[in-house]
Amino acid sequence: MERSLFRIAFLLLALASIVNTVHGQGSRVGFYRRTCPRAESIVRSAVESHVKSDRTLAAGLLRMHFHDCFVQGCDASVLIAGAGTERTAPPNLGLRGYEVIDDAKAKVEAACPGVVSCADILALAARDSVVLSGGLSWQVPTGRRDGRVSQASDVNNLPAPFDSVDVQKQKFAAKGLNTQDLVTLVGGHTIGTTACQFFSNRLYNFTSNGPDSSIDASFLPQLQALCPQNSGVSNRVALDTTSQNRFDTSYYANLRNGRGILLSDQALWNDASTKTFVRRYLGLRGLLGLKFNVEFGKSMVKMSNIELKTGSDGEIRKICSAFN
């Protein structure tokens, strides 16, 4: 009896999987196994070539995927060029790596015309960037289609560098992501830089008593030298001053030591609901540890499935920067 019930359950799950595939509900690992078997290796090769020439592009590609997913879902709408597109919105003006995606797309098109979406190429490139920076790999579900809408006016709910933890949690929850996902994905700040304009308010007149008191006193002069008062707003500062090009947990150690750069980052240590996860990634005694590298991949898969366009929804662009 139990064996029969197991077989029925298995058949129902298999049928559901087939239905989902036919109707485009959800992505899956190996989507291009038959239609473009070399797709992932082509993207990986293109990303590797560019990142070897400029290691900072890894953080750029990771951030671009994040910005794409939080607006209209992971549909490559952030890649569209032109007046009034997402790319032109203030939060996206600092995005980098468009040329990497264009290069990967051109090479994939040469091998498999009209098959692989720009949205999938961006998701794969983000994963490959993490791996090239020393992080663990993960399997990226594919099968996304590219969106047909890209408007700067839609870029109004991206997590911002001045957000409180409550606001960050609200923005992530709106996308189906929980508090652990928040702490995990923001850990992507272990690579990359930011401009002084996004945190210099913490360094001088943050309160009537002067700088933000949560900044380590020995670290403050270093930041003030990098971001002089009333000048240097475009100067770049590593988000993880310990190892800005290596994907590791030093970002979380910086938060513990009062060396988080963005106000929104340091807030993760100062709020009890997020501090628990930071401490677990650091493996602090008395807490059940979490493996950041492993959990990051899980949260990335979860994020990359936000508001998917699959099946007959959307399109497969010929060029990533323009609609068909």
Side-chain angles (χ1 to χ4, degrees), residues 23-321:
H23 291 282
Q25 297 174 2
S27 57
R28 70 175 189 271
V29 173
F31 183 85
Y32 300 112
R33 188 171 290 125
R34 293 184 179 179
T35 55
C36 191
R38 293 182 54 240
E40 293 200 23
S41 63
I42 292 172
V43 173
R44 186 181 307 114
S45 177
V47 173
E48 185 174 6
S49 175
H50 285 273
V51 171
K52 278 187 174 180
S53 297
D54 181 357
R55 294 185 68 188
T56 66
L57 283 171
L61 291 166
L62 178 59
R63 183 179 175 218
M64 186 184 290
H65 180 48
F66 183 92
H67 281 225
D68 182 41
C69 291
F70 262 75
V71 181
Q72 303 291 340
C74 309
D75 65 351
S77 52
V78 74
L79 301 177
I80 296 295
T85 61
E86 287 179 32
R87 195 192 284 209
T88 67
N92 289 336
L93 293 178
L95 292 182
R96 301 177 61 235
Y98 294 106
E99 71 279 13
V100 183
I101 303 301
D102 290 341
D103 182 31
K105 175 63 170 176
K107 289 173 178 173
V108 169
E109 282 294 302
C112 317
V115 174
V116 182
S117 69
C118 298
D120 279 341
I121 289 174
L122 182 52
L124 292 167
R127 186 269 311 276
D128 296 338
S129 295
V130 169
V131 174
L132 289 168
S133 301
L136 290 181
S137 185
W138 65 89
Q139 290 190 308
V140 176
T142 46
R144 301 166 191 78
R145 289 172 68 85
D146 300 321
R148 295 191 178 103
V149 176
S150 181
Q151 300 176 147
S153 57
D154 290 331
V155 186
N156 54 15
N157 207 36
L158 278 170
F162 311 108
D163 285 347
S164 66
V165 168
D166 284 342
V167 170
Q168 291 183 73
K169 284 172 21 177
Q170 289 168 11
K171 289 180 177 180
F172 275 71
K175 300 299 180 182
L177 301 170
N178 59 32
T179 302
Q180 181 176 326
D181 295 318
L182 160 62
V183 177
T184 304
L185 292 170
V186 174
H189 286 171
T190 185
I191 56 175
T193 64
T194 188
C196 288
Q197 62 182 313
F198 297 119
F199 69 92
S200 58
N201 66 311
R202 302 180 65 208
L203 309 182
Y204 299 100
N205 300 310
F206 187 71
T207 67
S208 57
N209 296 320
D212 184 349
S213 59
S214 68
I215 301 175
D216 173 45
S218 65
F219 187 47
L220 181 62
Q222 297 177 45
L223 293 179
Q224 290 175 329
L226 293 168
C227 304
Q229 191 170 17
N230 301 320
S231 66
V233 293
S234 61
N235 292 355
R236 306 295 299 185
V237 175
L239 286 163
D240 179 350
T241 53
T242 309
S243 57
Q244 74 175 78
N245 291 316
R246 181 152 189 85
F247 204 86
D248 56 23
T249 59
S250 61
Y251 162 82
Y252 296 112
N254 290 338
L255 302 187
R256 177 190 58 196
N257 298 329
R259 292 180 171 235
I261 301 300
L262 302 178
L263 181 65
S264 57
D265 284 352
Q266 190 58 50
L268 299 179
W269 179 258
N270 300 333
D271 184 281
S273 67
T274 48
K275 182 177 183 178
T276 297
F277 293 106
V278 175
R279 286 168 59 86
R280 288 172 73 180
Y281 283 137
L282 289 173
L284 297 184
R285 191 173 300 172
L287 289 169
L288 178 64
L290 286 171
K291 296 290 187 182
F292 170 58
N293 264 311
V294 173
E295 297 303 323
F296 189 81
K298 292 179 183 177
S299 290
M300 283 291 286
V301 169
K302 195 172 174 182
M303 183 189 75
S304 71
N305 281 324
I306 292 175
E307 300 170 34
L308 283 182
K309 294 172 180 65
T310 57
S312 59
D313 192 11
E315 64 184 14
I316 303 296
R317 287 183 213 144
K318 295 180 178 66
I319 300 173
C320 289
S321 59

